[in-house]
PDB file of all heavy atoms in Angstrom:
ATOM      1  N   ILE A  23      92.675  78.768  90.137  1.00  0.00           N
ATOM      2  CA  ILE A  23      93.672  79.390  91.004  1.00  0.00           C
ATOM      3  C   ILE A  23      94.386  80.479  90.203  1.00  0.00           C
ATOM      4  O   ILE A  23      94.883  80.220  89.106  1.00  0.00           O
ATOM      5  CB  ILE A  23      94.703  78.356  91.514  1.00  0.00           C
ATOM      6  CG1 ILE A  23      94.002  77.284  92.335  1.00  0.00           C
ATOM      7  CG2 ILE A  23      95.777  79.047  92.359  1.00  0.00           C
ATOM      8  CD1 ILE A  23      94.922  76.160  92.796  1.00  0.00           C
ATOM      9  N   TYR A  46      76.299  85.591  92.130  1.00  0.00           N
ATOM     10  CA  TYR A  46      76.460  85.828  93.559  1.00  0.00           C
ATOM     11  C   TYR A  46      77.868  85.421  93.976  1.00  0.00           C
ATOM     12  O   TYR A  46      78.444  84.474  93.436  1.00  0.00           O
ATOM     13  CB  TYR A  46      75.453  85.008  94.373  1.00  0.00           C
ATOM     14  CG  TYR A  46      74.011  85.396  94.159  1.00  0.00           C
ATOM     15  CD1 TYR A  46      73.284  84.878  93.089  1.00  0.00           C
ATOM     16  CD2 TYR A  46      73.369  86.285  95.020  1.00  0.00           C
ATOM     17  CE1 TYR A  46      71.967  85.234  92.877  1.00  0.00           C
ATOM     18  CE2 TYR A  46      72.049  86.645  94.822  1.00  0.00           C
ATOM     19  CZ  TYR A  46      71.351  86.114  93.749  1.00  0.00           C
ATOM     20  OH  TYR A  46      70.038  86.470  93.547  1.00  0.00           O
ATOM     21  N   PHE A  58      75.336  90.873  90.164  1.00  0.00           N
ATOM     22  CA  PHE A  58      74.538  91.504  89.108  1.00  0.00           C
ATOM     23  C   PHE A  58      73.624  90.471  88.471  1.00  0.00           C
ATOM     24  O   PHE A  58      73.771  89.260  88.661  1.00  0.00           O
ATOM     25  CB  PHE A  58      75.392  92.190  88.026  1.00  0.00           C
ATOM     26  CG  PHE A  58      76.748  91.591  87.784  1.00  0.00           C
ATOM     27  CD1 PHE A  58      76.896  90.314  87.292  1.00  0.00           C
ATOM     28  CD2 PHE A  58      77.894  92.338  88.066  1.00  0.00           C
ATOM     29  CE1 PHE A  58      78.147  89.776  87.077  1.00  0.00           C
ATOM     30  CE2 PHE A  58      79.152  91.810  87.856  1.00  0.00           C
ATOM     31  CZ  PHE A  58      79.282  90.527  87.357  1.00  0.00           C
ATOM     32  N   GLY A  69      74.760  94.855  92.162  1.00  0.00           N
ATOM     33  CA  GLY A  69      75.047  94.930  93.588  1.00  0.00           C
ATOM     34  C   GLY A  69      76.149  95.940  93.862  1.00  0.00           C
ATOM     35  O   GLY A  69      76.597  96.660  92.976  1.00  0.00           O
ATOM     36  N   GLY A  77      80.245  91.902  83.935  1.00  0.00           N
ATOM     37  CA  GLY A  77      79.634  90.729  83.345  1.00  0.00           C
ATOM     38  C   GLY A  77      79.033  91.052  82.004  1.00  0.00           C
ATOM     39  O   GLY A  77      79.020  92.219  81.566  1.00  0.00           O
ATOM     40  N   ARG A  78      78.567  90.021  81.354  1.00  0.00           N
ATOM     41  CA  ARG A  78      77.840  90.217  80.117  1.00  0.00           C
ATOM     42  C   ARG A  78      77.003  88.980  79.841  1.00  0.00           C
ATOM     43  O   ARG A  78      77.237  87.910  80.420  1.00  0.00           O
ATOM     44  CB  ARG A  78      78.777  90.487  78.947  1.00  0.00           C
ATOM     45  CG  ARG A  78      79.812  89.414  78.661  1.00  0.00           C
ATOM     46  CD  ARG A  78      80.641  89.789  77.450  1.00  0.00           C
ATOM     47  NE  ARG A  78      81.709  88.835  77.183  1.00  0.00           N
ATOM     48  CZ  ARG A  78      82.425  88.833  76.063  1.00  0.00           C
ATOM     49  NH1 ARG A  78      82.204  89.727  75.116  1.00  0.00           N
ATOM     50  NH2 ARG A  78      83.391  87.938  75.896  1.00  0.00           N
ATOM     51  N   TYR A 100      81.826  81.523  93.455  1.00  0.00           N
ATOM     52  CA  TYR A 100      80.967  82.358  92.622  1.00  0.00           C
ATOM     53  C   TYR A 100      79.842  81.495  92.073  1.00  0.00           C
ATOM     54  O   TYR A 100      80.082  80.516  91.354  1.00  0.00           O
ATOM     55  CB  TYR A 100      81.778  83.021  91.515  1.00  0.00           C
ATOM     56  CG  TYR A 100      82.706  84.082  92.072  1.00  0.00           C
ATOM     57  CD1 TYR A 100      83.989  83.746  92.495  1.00  0.00           C
ATOM     58  CD2 TYR A 100      82.278  85.396  92.238  1.00  0.00           C
ATOM     59  CE1 TYR A 100      84.832  84.698  93.069  1.00  0.00           C
ATOM     60  CE2 TYR A 100      83.108  86.355  92.806  1.00  0.00           C
ATOM     61  CZ  TYR A 100      84.385  86.000  93.216  1.00  0.00           C
ATOM     62  OH  TYR A 100      85.200  86.945  93.788  1.00  0.00           O
ATOM     63  N   CYS A 102      76.210  81.080  90.035  1.00  0.00           N
ATOM     64  CA  CYS A 102      75.363  81.600  88.973  1.00  0.00           C
ATOM     65  C   CYS A 102      73.977  80.996  89.167  1.00  0.00           C
ATOM     66  O   CYS A 102      73.847  79.832  89.573  1.00  0.00           O
ATOM     67  CB  CYS A 102      75.962  81.194  87.635  1.00  0.00           C
ATOM     68  SG  CYS A 102      74.871  81.347  86.225  1.00  0.00           S
ATOM     69  N   SER A 106      63.448  82.276  84.667  1.00  0.00           N
ATOM     70  CA  SER A 106      62.760  82.709  83.453  1.00  0.00           C
ATOM     71  C   SER A 106      62.745  84.229  83.337  1.00  0.00           C
ATOM     72  O   SER A 106      62.519  84.774  82.264  1.00  0.00           O
ATOM     73  CB  SER A 106      61.342  82.154  83.436  1.00  0.00           C
ATOM     74  OG  SER A 106      60.633  82.604  84.566  1.00  0.00           O
ATOM     75  N   LEU A 109      59.298  88.513  87.984  1.00  0.00           N
ATOM     76  CA  LEU A 109      59.421  88.772  89.411  1.00  0.00           C
ATOM     77  C   LEU A 109      59.040  87.511  90.190  1.00  0.00           C
ATOM     78  O   LEU A 109      58.101  86.823  89.835  1.00  0.00           O
ATOM     79  CB  LEU A 109      58.499  89.921  89.819  1.00  0.00           C
ATOM     80  CG  LEU A 109      58.954  91.304  89.387  1.00  0.00           C
ATOM     81  CD1 LEU A 109      57.847  92.309  89.605  1.00  0.00           C
ATOM     82  CD2 LEU A 109      60.206  91.717  90.143  1.00  0.00           C
ATOM     83  N   GLY A 116      73.691  77.019  89.920  1.00  0.00           N
ATOM     84  CA  GLY A 116      74.725  76.097  89.466  1.00  0.00           C
ATOM     85  C   GLY A 116      75.605  75.674  90.633  1.00  0.00           C
ATOM     86  O   GLY A 116      75.429  76.162  91.751  1.00  0.00           O
ATOM     87  N   PRO A 117      76.572  74.793  90.387  1.00  0.00           N
ATOM     88  CA  PRO A 117      77.430  74.290  91.463  1.00  0.00           C
ATOM     89  C   PRO A 117      78.495  75.280  91.899  1.00  0.00           C
ATOM     90  O   PRO A 117      79.104  75.101  92.954  1.00  0.00           O
ATOM     91  CB  PRO A 117      78.074  73.061  90.838  1.00  0.00           C
ATOM     92  CG  PRO A 117      78.093  73.363  89.375  1.00  0.00           C
ATOM     93  CD  PRO A 117      76.845  74.149  89.103  1.00  0.00           C
TER      94      PRO A 117
END
Side-chain angles (χ1 to χ4, degrees):
Chain A
I23 299 176
Y46 295 84
F58 29 64
R78 58 178 176 169
Y100 290 89
C102 164
S106 59
L109 286 169

